[in-house]
Short mmCIF file of all heavy atoms in Angstrom, two decimals:
data_model
loop_
_atom_site.label_atom_id
_atom_site.label_comp_id
_atom_site.label_asym_id
_atom_site.label_seq_id
_atom_site.Cartn_x
_atom_site.Cartn_y
_atom_site.Cartn_z
N MET A 1183 0.81 -1.22 0.00
CA MET A 1183 0.01 0.02 -0.01
C MET A 1183 0.86 1.24 0.00
O MET A 1183 0.53 2.24 0.71
CB MET A 1183 -0.95 -0.02 1.18
CG MET A 1183 -1.92 -1.19 1.16
SD MET A 1183 -2.86 -1.42 2.69
CE MET A 1183 -3.80 0.06 2.78
N ARG A 1184 1.93 1.23 -0.81
CA ARG A 1184 2.88 2.35 -0.80
C ARG A 1184 2.50 3.43 -1.81
O ARG A 1184 1.94 3.16 -2.88
CB ARG A 1184 4.26 1.84 -1.10
CG ARG A 1184 4.90 1.04 0.04
CD ARG A 1184 5.04 1.95 1.26
NE ARG A 1184 5.75 1.33 2.37
CZ ARG A 1184 5.13 0.84 3.46
NH1 ARG A 1184 3.85 0.89 3.55
NH2 ARG A 1184 5.87 0.30 4.42
N SER A 1185 2.90 4.67 -1.51
CA SER A 1185 2.87 5.77 -2.46
C SER A 1185 4.08 5.62 -3.41
O SER A 1185 5.11 5.14 -2.97
CB SER A 1185 2.98 7.11 -1.72
OG SER A 1185 3.35 8.14 -2.59
N PRO A 1186 3.97 6.06 -4.66
CA PRO A 1186 5.15 6.02 -5.54
C PRO A 1186 6.13 7.14 -5.26
O PRO A 1186 7.23 7.15 -5.81
CB PRO A 1186 4.51 6.16 -6.92
CG PRO A 1186 3.24 6.95 -6.70
CD PRO A 1186 2.75 6.48 -5.37
N HIS A 1187 5.74 8.11 -4.42
CA HIS A 1187 6.60 9.25 -4.11
C HIS A 1187 7.01 9.24 -2.63
O HIS A 1187 6.26 8.84 -1.77
CB HIS A 1187 5.86 10.55 -4.35
CG HIS A 1187 5.75 10.93 -5.81
ND1 HIS A 1187 6.83 11.29 -6.58
CD2 HIS A 1187 4.67 11.02 -6.64
CE1 HIS A 1187 6.41 11.56 -7.80
NE2 HIS A 1187 5.11 11.38 -7.85
N THR A 1188 8.22 9.72 -2.41
CA THR A 1188 8.64 10.03 -1.03
C THR A 1188 8.01 11.36 -0.63
O THR A 1188 7.46 12.09 -1.47
CB THR A 1188 10.17 10.13 -0.96
OG1 THR A 1188 10.62 11.15 -1.83
CG2 THR A 1188 10.82 8.81 -1.31
N PHE A 1189 8.14 11.72 0.64
CA PHE A 1189 7.49 12.96 1.13
C PHE A 1189 8.06 14.19 0.39
O PHE A 1189 7.37 15.20 0.24
CB PHE A 1189 7.68 13.12 2.64
CG PHE A 1189 6.81 12.20 3.46
CD1 PHE A 1189 7.39 11.40 4.42
CD2 PHE A 1189 5.45 12.13 3.26
CE1 PHE A 1189 6.60 10.56 5.21
CE2 PHE A 1189 4.65 11.27 4.01
CZ PHE A 1189 5.24 10.49 4.97
N ASP A 1190 9.30 14.11 -0.01
CA ASP A 1190 9.91 15.29 -0.73
C ASP A 1190 9.64 15.26 -2.22
O ASP A 1190 10.22 16.05 -2.97
CB ASP A 1190 11.41 15.37 -0.43
CG ASP A 1190 12.20 14.18 -0.95
OD1 ASP A 1190 11.60 13.25 -1.56
OD2 ASP A 1190 13.41 14.11 -0.71
N GLY A 1191 8.78 14.34 -2.66
CA GLY A 1191 8.36 14.32 -4.05
C GLY A 1191 9.15 13.44 -5.00
O GLY A 1191 8.88 13.41 -6.19
N ARG A 1192 10.22 12.77 -4.51
CA ARG A 1192 11.00 11.91 -5.34
C ARG A 1192 10.21 10.64 -5.73
O ARG A 1192 9.56 10.08 -4.87
CB ARG A 1192 12.33 11.49 -4.67
CG ARG A 1192 13.30 12.63 -4.58
CD ARG A 1192 14.65 12.12 -3.96
NE ARG A 1192 14.47 11.70 -2.55
CZ ARG A 1192 14.50 10.43 -2.17
NH1 ARG A 1192 14.76 9.48 -3.07
NH2 ARG A 1192 14.36 10.13 -0.90
N LEU A 1193 10.30 10.27 -7.01
CA LEU A 1193 9.66 9.06 -7.52
C LEU A 1193 10.54 7.85 -7.19
O LEU A 1193 11.78 7.92 -7.32
CB LEU A 1193 9.42 9.21 -8.98
CG LEU A 1193 8.57 8.14 -9.65
CD1 LEU A 1193 7.17 8.10 -9.13
CD2 LEU A 1193 8.52 8.39 -11.16
N PHE A 1194 9.92 6.75 -6.88
CA PHE A 1194 10.73 5.55 -6.53
C PHE A 1194 11.55 5.06 -7.75
O PHE A 1194 12.57 4.45 -7.55
CB PHE A 1194 9.82 4.42 -6.03
CG PHE A 1194 9.05 3.72 -7.13
CD1 PHE A 1194 9.59 2.60 -7.75
CD2 PHE A 1194 7.79 4.16 -7.52
CE1 PHE A 1194 8.91 1.93 -8.74
CE2 PHE A 1194 7.09 3.51 -8.53
CZ PHE A 1194 7.65 2.39 -9.16
N ASP A 1195 11.04 5.28 -8.91
CA ASP A 1195 11.69 4.79 -10.14
C ASP A 1195 12.92 5.64 -10.42
O ASP A 1195 12.82 6.86 -10.54
CB ASP A 1195 10.68 4.93 -11.32
CG ASP A 1195 11.20 4.18 -12.57
OD1 ASP A 1195 12.39 3.91 -12.63
OD2 ASP A 1195 10.39 3.90 -13.44
N ALA A 1196 14.03 5.00 -10.58
CA ALA A 1196 15.26 5.72 -10.86
C ALA A 1196 15.20 6.45 -12.20
O ALA A 1196 15.86 7.47 -12.37
CB ALA A 1196 16.47 4.75 -10.86
N ASP A 1197 14.39 5.95 -13.15
CA ASP A 1197 14.23 6.60 -14.43
C ASP A 1197 13.02 7.53 -14.35
O ASP A 1197 12.00 7.32 -15.00
CB ASP A 1197 14.01 5.55 -15.51
CG ASP A 1197 14.02 6.17 -16.92
OD1 ASP A 1197 14.54 7.28 -17.06
OD2 ASP A 1197 13.48 5.53 -17.82
N ASP A 1198 13.16 8.58 -13.56
CA ASP A 1198 12.07 9.51 -13.27
C ASP A 1198 11.85 10.42 -14.48
O ASP A 1198 12.66 11.28 -14.75
CB ASP A 1198 12.38 10.33 -12.00
CG ASP A 1198 11.19 11.20 -11.60
OD1 ASP A 1198 10.25 11.33 -12.35
OD2 ASP A 1198 11.28 11.80 -10.53
N LYS A 1199 10.71 10.23 -15.15
CA LYS A 1199 10.38 11.09 -16.29
C LYS A 1199 9.11 11.92 -16.01
O LYS A 1199 8.23 12.04 -16.83
CB LYS A 1199 10.24 10.25 -17.54
CG LYS A 1199 11.52 9.59 -18.02
CD LYS A 1199 11.43 9.06 -19.42
CE LYS A 1199 12.77 8.48 -19.87
NZ LYS A 1199 12.76 7.98 -21.23
N THR A 1200 9.08 12.47 -14.83
CA THR A 1200 7.97 13.33 -14.45
C THR A 1200 8.00 14.55 -15.37
O THR A 1200 9.03 15.18 -15.63
CB THR A 1200 8.10 13.83 -12.99
OG1 THR A 1200 8.12 12.64 -12.13
CG2 THR A 1200 6.96 14.70 -12.59
N LEU A 1201 6.79 14.95 -15.85
CA LEU A 1201 6.71 16.06 -16.79
C LEU A 1201 6.70 17.39 -16.06
O LEU A 1201 5.93 17.50 -15.08
CB LEU A 1201 5.44 15.94 -17.61
CG LEU A 1201 5.38 14.78 -18.61
CD1 LEU A 1201 3.96 14.73 -19.21
CD2 LEU A 1201 6.38 14.94 -19.71
N PRO A 1202 7.48 18.34 -16.47
CA PRO A 1202 7.35 19.67 -15.89
C PRO A 1202 6.01 20.26 -16.17
O PRO A 1202 5.44 20.03 -17.25
CB PRO A 1202 8.46 20.49 -16.61
CG PRO A 1202 9.39 19.48 -17.21
CD PRO A 1202 8.55 18.27 -17.49
N VAL A 1203 5.40 21.03 -15.22
CA VAL A 1203 4.15 21.63 -15.47
C VAL A 1203 4.23 22.57 -16.65
O VAL A 1203 5.15 23.36 -16.78
CB VAL A 1203 3.71 22.40 -14.19
CG1 VAL A 1203 2.39 23.21 -14.47
CG2 VAL A 1203 3.47 21.45 -13.03
N GLY A 1204 3.25 22.46 -17.57
CA GLY A 1204 3.27 23.28 -18.74
C GLY A 1204 3.86 22.63 -19.97
O GLY A 1204 3.87 23.21 -21.07
N SER A 1205 4.38 21.37 -19.81
CA SER A 1205 4.92 20.65 -20.97
C SER A 1205 3.81 20.41 -21.97
O SER A 1205 2.73 19.90 -21.63
CB SER A 1205 5.52 19.28 -20.54
OG SER A 1205 6.60 19.48 -19.69
N ARG A 1206 4.10 20.71 -23.22
CA ARG A 1206 3.07 20.51 -24.28
C ARG A 1206 3.31 19.21 -25.00
O ARG A 1206 3.58 19.15 -26.21
CB ARG A 1206 3.09 21.72 -25.24
CG ARG A 1206 2.63 23.03 -24.63
CD ARG A 1206 1.19 22.86 -24.13
NE ARG A 1206 0.73 24.06 -23.46
CZ ARG A 1206 0.04 25.06 -24.09
NH1 ARG A 1206 -0.19 24.96 -25.39
NH2 ARG A 1206 -0.41 26.09 -23.41
N THR A 1207 3.26 18.11 -24.22
CA THR A 1207 3.40 16.76 -24.83
C THR A 1207 2.07 16.07 -24.82
O THR A 1207 1.16 16.42 -24.05
CB THR A 1207 4.43 15.95 -24.03
OG1 THR A 1207 4.00 15.81 -22.66
CG2 THR A 1207 5.81 16.61 -24.03
N THR A 1208 1.94 15.07 -25.66
CA THR A 1208 0.72 14.27 -25.75
C THR A 1208 1.05 12.80 -25.57
O THR A 1208 2.22 12.40 -25.48
CB THR A 1208 0.00 14.53 -27.09
OG1 THR A 1208 0.86 13.99 -28.15
CG2 THR A 1208 -0.22 15.98 -27.33
N MET A 1209 0.02 11.96 -25.63
CA MET A 1209 0.23 10.53 -25.49
C MET A 1209 1.14 9.97 -26.59
O MET A 1209 1.83 8.97 -26.38
CB MET A 1209 -1.09 9.82 -25.54
CG MET A 1209 -1.94 10.04 -24.28
SD MET A 1209 -3.43 9.01 -24.23
CE MET A 1209 -4.53 10.03 -25.23
N ALA A 1210 1.12 10.61 -27.77
CA ALA A 1210 1.95 10.14 -28.89
C ALA A 1210 3.44 10.22 -28.55
O ALA A 1210 4.27 9.49 -29.12
CB ALA A 1210 1.63 10.94 -30.14
N GLU A 1211 3.80 11.13 -27.62
CA GLU A 1211 5.24 11.28 -27.27
C GLU A 1211 5.58 10.43 -26.04
O GLU A 1211 6.70 10.54 -25.55
CB GLU A 1211 5.53 12.73 -26.95
CG GLU A 1211 5.55 13.65 -28.14
CD GLU A 1211 4.19 14.14 -28.54
OE1 GLU A 1211 3.51 14.75 -27.72
OE2 GLU A 1211 3.79 13.92 -29.69
N GLU A 1212 4.69 9.56 -25.61
CA GLU A 1212 5.01 8.72 -24.42
C GLU A 1212 6.01 7.67 -24.80
O GLU A 1212 5.69 6.72 -25.48
CB GLU A 1212 3.67 8.06 -23.96
CG GLU A 1212 3.81 7.22 -22.71
CD GLU A 1212 3.86 8.07 -21.47
OE1 GLU A 1212 2.83 8.56 -20.99
OE2 GLU A 1212 4.99 8.21 -20.91
N ASP A 1213 7.23 7.87 -24.36
CA ASP A 1213 8.27 6.91 -24.68
C ASP A 1213 8.70 6.07 -23.49
O ASP A 1213 9.71 5.36 -23.52
CB ASP A 1213 9.51 7.64 -25.25
CG ASP A 1213 10.09 8.67 -24.27
OD1 ASP A 1213 9.56 8.84 -23.18
OD2 ASP A 1213 11.14 9.23 -24.61
N THR A 1214 7.94 6.14 -22.42
CA THR A 1214 8.26 5.37 -21.23
C THR A 1214 6.96 4.92 -20.60
O THR A 1214 5.91 5.49 -20.89
CB THR A 1214 9.08 6.22 -20.21
OG1 THR A 1214 9.45 5.38 -19.11
CG2 THR A 1214 8.26 7.36 -19.65
N GLN A 1215 7.01 3.88 -19.79
CA GLN A 1215 5.81 3.48 -19.05
C GLN A 1215 5.89 4.17 -17.67
O GLN A 1215 6.62 3.72 -16.80
CB GLN A 1215 5.74 1.95 -18.90
CG GLN A 1215 4.60 1.49 -17.99
CD GLN A 1215 3.24 1.92 -18.51
OE1 GLN A 1215 2.68 1.36 -19.44
NE2 GLN A 1215 2.68 2.95 -17.89
N TYR A 1216 5.19 5.29 -17.54
CA TYR A 1216 5.18 5.99 -16.26
C TYR A 1216 4.49 5.10 -15.20
O TYR A 1216 3.51 4.43 -15.51
CB TYR A 1216 4.45 7.33 -16.40
CG TYR A 1216 4.83 8.33 -15.35
CD1 TYR A 1216 6.13 8.80 -15.30
CD2 TYR A 1216 3.90 8.81 -14.46
CE1 TYR A 1216 6.51 9.72 -14.34
CE2 TYR A 1216 4.25 9.77 -13.51
CZ TYR A 1216 5.55 10.21 -13.44
OH TYR A 1216 5.92 11.13 -12.48
N PRO A 1217 5.00 5.07 -13.98
CA PRO A 1217 4.59 4.01 -13.05
C PRO A 1217 3.25 4.27 -12.33
O PRO A 1217 2.88 3.40 -11.49
CB PRO A 1217 5.75 3.97 -12.06
CG PRO A 1217 6.34 5.33 -12.07
CD PRO A 1217 6.19 5.83 -13.49
N TYR A 1218 2.56 5.37 -12.60
CA TYR A 1218 1.30 5.48 -11.94
C TYR A 1218 0.35 6.38 -12.76
O TYR A 1218 0.75 7.15 -13.63
CB TYR A 1218 1.43 6.04 -10.51
CG TYR A 1218 1.94 7.49 -10.39
CD1 TYR A 1218 1.04 8.56 -10.54
CD2 TYR A 1218 3.28 7.77 -10.11
CE1 TYR A 1218 1.49 9.90 -10.41
CE2 TYR A 1218 3.70 9.09 -9.98
CZ TYR A 1218 2.82 10.14 -10.13
OH TYR A 1218 3.24 11.40 -10.00
N ALA A 1219 -0.95 6.23 -12.38
CA ALA A 1219 -2.01 7.07 -12.86
C ALA A 1219 -2.72 7.61 -11.66
O ALA A 1219 -2.12 7.73 -10.58
CB ALA A 1219 -2.94 6.24 -13.79
N TYR A 1220 -4.02 7.99 -11.82
CA TYR A 1220 -4.74 8.55 -10.69
C TYR A 1220 -6.10 7.90 -10.56
O TYR A 1220 -6.72 7.43 -11.53
CB TYR A 1220 -4.96 10.06 -10.91
CG TYR A 1220 -3.72 10.86 -11.20
CD1 TYR A 1220 -3.44 11.38 -12.45
CD2 TYR A 1220 -2.81 11.15 -10.15
CE1 TYR A 1220 -2.31 12.08 -12.67
CE2 TYR A 1220 -1.67 11.87 -10.37
CZ TYR A 1220 -1.42 12.35 -11.64
OH TYR A 1220 -0.30 13.09 -11.87
N HIS A 1221 -6.63 7.96 -9.33
CA HIS A 1221 -8.02 7.80 -9.03
C HIS A 1221 -8.55 9.18 -8.61
O HIS A 1221 -7.88 9.88 -7.86
CB HIS A 1221 -8.30 6.84 -7.86
CG HIS A 1221 -7.71 5.47 -8.03
ND1 HIS A 1221 -6.71 5.00 -7.18
CD2 HIS A 1221 -7.96 4.48 -8.90
CE1 HIS A 1221 -6.40 3.75 -7.49
NE2 HIS A 1221 -7.11 3.43 -8.57
N PHE A 1222 -9.73 9.58 -9.08
CA PHE A 1222 -10.25 10.82 -8.63
C PHE A 1222 -11.77 10.82 -8.75
O PHE A 1222 -12.36 9.97 -9.46
CB PHE A 1222 -9.70 12.05 -9.43
CG PHE A 1222 -9.76 11.95 -10.91
CD1 PHE A 1222 -10.96 12.09 -11.57
CD2 PHE A 1222 -8.62 11.73 -11.64
CE1 PHE A 1222 -11.06 12.00 -12.94
CE2 PHE A 1222 -8.69 11.65 -13.05
CZ PHE A 1222 -9.92 11.80 -13.70
N ASP A 1223 -12.40 11.75 -8.05
CA ASP A 1223 -13.89 11.92 -8.14
C ASP A 1223 -14.14 12.69 -9.41
O ASP A 1223 -13.78 13.87 -9.52
CB ASP A 1223 -14.37 12.66 -6.89
CG ASP A 1223 -15.88 12.78 -6.83
OD1 ASP A 1223 -16.46 13.17 -7.84
OD2 ASP A 1223 -16.43 12.49 -5.76
N ALA A 1224 -14.78 12.09 -10.39
CA ALA A 1224 -15.02 12.67 -11.68
C ALA A 1224 -15.85 13.95 -11.56
O ALA A 1224 -15.60 14.96 -12.26
CB ALA A 1224 -15.67 11.67 -12.63
#
């Protein structure tokens, strides 16, 4: 039941490809399997 992030925001995956806010990329540019998605109240 772990979070993928440490408290300081580091991702557990050494190949951290977190997108900077404002990046204009789309799914077509997805060249890695990012290790998480989200659950949210729609």
Side-chain angles (χ1 to χ4, degrees):
M1183 300 170 61
R1184 288 298 185 257
S1185 161
H1187 284 291
T1188 59
F1189 287 128
D1190 62 3
R1192 288 183 295 109
L1193 187 63
F1194 77 90
D1195 191 341
D1197 187 21
D1198 185 351
K1199 293 194 176 181
T1200 301
L1201 293 172
V1203 173
S1205 296
R1206 292 301 177 93
T1207 60
T1208 66
M1209 288 187 277
E1211 289 82 58
E1212 183 77 76
D1213 61 355
T1214 185
Q1215 175 58 78
Y1216 202 63
Y1218 68 82
Y1220 305 107
H1221 305 115
F1222 52 72
D1223 186 312

